[in-house]
């Protein structure tokens, strides 16, 4: 067994894990369904109260005219960008070099839709207004991800968002929000979700990433946009005969967690400070701006994995099940706070970070 496998095994055996909402198991499904009347009817091919009531509720929550439920965010976002490209008669979109569409979707946007992508700014930076102003003139749509997951959940300031939105509208460029985790940004921005979404022509919200449902996504926008998205949903095979297991769990966990984001944000700032108190460890950002941050360790990946495995074995606290190499002398992993952190005994948390500091120094 190599050190990465040992680290994962040590993490899986811990009594408490700091990130997330807890294990993704059958209990997640059972809990969501325990209060559902067994005679409640399913949706059928995208119609029926089970799906349409939820779509209307989330559209109103986001401040948009209409919304449609998709089985995946990948499908939803590719369709959104295709619609805007068709409208503008320009198969070109712009986004961050580390956008999910660019690095996690096997070039689906390019292969399935023939859309060319313009990469804004460098890999480690946040998109700024100047990046938009200097991009090619024939870009149909700009996609902004809030928060920017691959760089530690960083965010532009609200004034930058508003300026980008104004510029795009003045220049007839569509602006799409990759808001998979948009609810987690609200405590930092001190804005309502409607205020943020009003800056964008279309919005994607994940039903599992921050909310903790089993799968699914919402795409929201104006009436014409959503009508067209339903056509593309059918073309993509997204009109399953029924999606109600995803919808009922999405609705349950949405209601359970939508108002908890400030708690997760405060927990992230507290936990980040514990990490940065340890020798050779930094977080990105230094102070989190959402419930998410990256932990950077100034040790080679194999050595860091060994240290982390030992800390987890000795403390019973789960920090991470993986590390990813940055270079020969450093590595990182992601932390995303949810329900779990509040239930971890603080004396055990203190033990884990005392051990981490000691082992990093040694």
């Amino acid at each position: 067994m190599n050190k990465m496998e040992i680290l994962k095994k040590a993490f899986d055996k811990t009594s408490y894990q700091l990130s997330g909402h807890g294990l993704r198991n059958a209990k997640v499904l059972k809990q969501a369904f325990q209060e559902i009347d067994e005679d409640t009817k399913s949706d059928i091919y995208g119609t029926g109260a089970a799906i349409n009531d939820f779509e209307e509720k989330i559209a109103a929550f986001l401040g948009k005219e209409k919304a449609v439920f998709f089985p995946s965010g990948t499908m939803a976002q590719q369709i959104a960008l295709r619609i805007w490209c068709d409208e503008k008669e320009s198969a070109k979109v712009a986004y961050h070099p580390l956008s999910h569409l660019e690095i996690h979707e096997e070039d689906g946007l390019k292969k399935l839709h023939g859309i060319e992508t313009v990469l804004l700014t460098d890999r480690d930076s946040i998109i700024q207004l100047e990046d938009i102003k200097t991009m090619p003139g024939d870009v149909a749509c700009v996609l902004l991800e809030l928060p920017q997951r691959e760089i530690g959940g960083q965010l532009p300031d609200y004034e930058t968002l508003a300026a980008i939105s104004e510029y795009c509208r003045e220049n007839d460029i569509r602006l799409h929000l990759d808001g998979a985790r948009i609810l987690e940004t609200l405590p930092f921005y001190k804005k309502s979700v409607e205020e943020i979404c009003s800056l964008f022509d279309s919005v994607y919200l994940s039903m599992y990433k921050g909310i903790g449902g089993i799968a699914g996504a919402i795409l929201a926008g104006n009436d014409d946009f959503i009508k067209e998205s339903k056509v593309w949903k059918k073309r993509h095979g997204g009109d399953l005969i029924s999606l109600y297991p995803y919808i009922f769990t999405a609705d349950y966990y949405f209601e359970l967690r939508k108002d908890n984001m400030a708690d997760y944000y405060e927990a992230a700032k507290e936990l980040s400070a514990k990490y940065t108190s340890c020798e050779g460890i930094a977080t990105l950002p230094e102070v989190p701006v959402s419930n998410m941050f990256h932990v950077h360790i100034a040790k080679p990946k194999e050595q860091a994995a060994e240290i982390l495995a030992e800390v987890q074995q000795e403390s019973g606290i789960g920090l991470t099940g993986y590390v990813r190499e940055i270079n020969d002398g450093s590595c990182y992993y992601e932390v995303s706070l949810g329900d779990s952190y509040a239930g971890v005994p603080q004396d055990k948390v203190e033990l884990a970070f005392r051990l981490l500091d000691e082992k990093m120094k040694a």
Side-chain angles (χ1 to χ4, degrees):
M1 188 180 298
N2 64 38
K3 290 180 181 178
M4 295 303 117
E5 293 170 332
I6 292 170
L7 174 59
K8 180 63 167 64
K9 186 175 180 180
F11 177 76
D12 290 342
K13 286 187 173 182
T14 54
S15 302
Y16 302 97
Q17 298 176 352
L18 300 184
S19 288
H21 297 304
L23 296 175
R24 288 180 61 83
N25 54 25
K27 182 182 177 181
V28 174
L29 189 60
K30 291 173 69 176
Q31 182 177 331
F33 271 80
Q34 62 187 352
E35 295 180 5
I36 299 289
D37 188 323
E38 63 183 21
D39 293 324
T40 301
K41 293 181 180 179
S42 75
D43 57 302
I44 302 293
Y45 292 120
T47 62
I51 189 168
N52 299 145
D53 288 355
F54 183 66
E55 290 170 337
E56 289 177 10
K57 180 170 86 170
I58 302 300
F61 175 76
L62 298 174
K64 294 300 182 186
E65 288 182 15
K66 297 286 184 179
V68 58
F69 187 91
F70 279 86
S72 81
T74 296
M75 184 186 297
Q77 294 214 100
Q78 288 187 21
I79 285 171
L81 297 182
R82 174 61 186 264
I83 291 170
W84 295 135
C85 284
D86 286 352
E87 179 199 71
K88 300 295 297 175
E89 298 183 346
S90 174
K92 188 177 290 186
V93 300
Y95 50 51
H96 194 277
L98 296 180
S99 167
H100 192 281
L101 289 98
E102 187 68 18
I103 66 174
H104 292 305
E105 298 181 14
E106 301 292 346
D107 283 338
L109 192 64
K110 301 164 189 173
K111 300 292 186 181
L112 297 176
H113 297 282
I115 292 175
E116 180 184 346
T117 58
V118 174
L119 303 182
L120 303 171
T121 195
D122 60 74
R123 292 168 63 90
D124 298 321
S125 299
I126 301 169
I127 293 172
Q128 302 293 336
L129 176 59
E130 194 60 30
D131 298 310
I132 310 298
K133 287 184 173 180
T134 56
M135 69 185 185
D138 56 346
V139 167
C141 180
V142 171
L143 177 149
L144 296 183
E145 180 186 358
L146 304 177
Q148 192 75 49
R149 179 186 182 182
E150 299 293 338
I151 54 173
Q154 294 186 64
L155 290 166
D157 59 45
Y158 189 78
E159 291 71 25
T160 297
L161 281 184
I164 289 173
S165 176
E166 182 179 8
Y167 178 84
C168 286
R169 286 177 179 167
E170 288 176 349
N171 291 274
D172 201 23
I173 301 164
R174 297 293 172 257
L175 188 61
H176 172 75
L177 173 59
D178 179 343
R181 300 171 175 83
I182 190 60
L183 301 189
E184 287 116 308
T185 72
L186 304 183
F188 174 75
Y189 280 134
K190 294 182 170 58
K191 302 286 184 181
S192 69
V193 71
E194 297 101 314
E195 286 178 280
I196 295 172
C197 291
S198 70
L199 302 175
F200 295 84
D201 297 292
S202 53
V203 175
Y204 148 60
L205 172 67
S206 172
M207 289 291 114
Y208 75 89
K209 287 181 177 175
I211 291 166
I214 56 172
I218 280 285
L219 186 62
N222 65 34
D223 186 55
D224 289 342
F225 172 82
I226 293 303
K227 283 180 181 176
E228 186 67 14
S229 73
K230 289 181 178 180
V231 174
W232 278 104
K233 180 183 175 186
K234 188 179 291 290
R235 288 169 177 160
H236 272 253
D239 254 345
L240 280 63
I241 183 171
S242 295
L243 287 165
Y244 68 105
Y246 304 105
I247 295 162
F248 291 162
T249 50
D251 196 16
Y252 176 83
Y253 288 108
F254 171 77
E255 291 296 337
L256 184 69
R257 295 182 175 129
K258 66 181 173 63
D259 297 323
N260 296 346
M261 300 302 161
D263 294 335
Y264 305 154
Y265 176 47
E266 293 303 319
K269 290 189 287 185
E270 177 184 303
L271 187 59
S272 172
K274 294 184 187 298
Y275 273 110
T276 56
S277 70
C278 296
E279 181 78 16
I281 295 182
T283 64
L284 182 69
E286 182 178 356
V287 177
V289 293
S290 71
N291 68 324
M292 175 190 296
F293 58 90
H294 286 181
V295 177
H296 286 231
I297 303 176
K299 298 278 188 186
K301 184 174 81 167
E302 298 289 324
Q303 188 176 352
E306 185 175 9
I307 289 171
L308 290 164
E310 290 175 359
V311 169
Q312 294 178 143
Q313 289 161 353
E314 294 173 30
S315 69
I317 296 295
L319 302 177
T320 184
Y322 75 95
V323 288
R324 294 187 180 129
E325 186 173 84
I326 298 172
N327 53 46
D328 290 345
S330 64
C331 58
Y332 81 99
Y333 59 91
E334 180 182 290
V335 174
S336 183
L337 276 293
D339 289 347
S340 294
Y341 184 72
V344 183
Q346 283 301 302
D347 61 328
K348 291 188 175 292
V349 176
E350 296 301 328
L351 170 62
F353 282 94
R354 186 167 68 250
L355 289 169
L356 181 58
D357 185 42
E358 290 171 358
K359 293 176 185 295
M360 286 294 294
K361 287 175 178 175

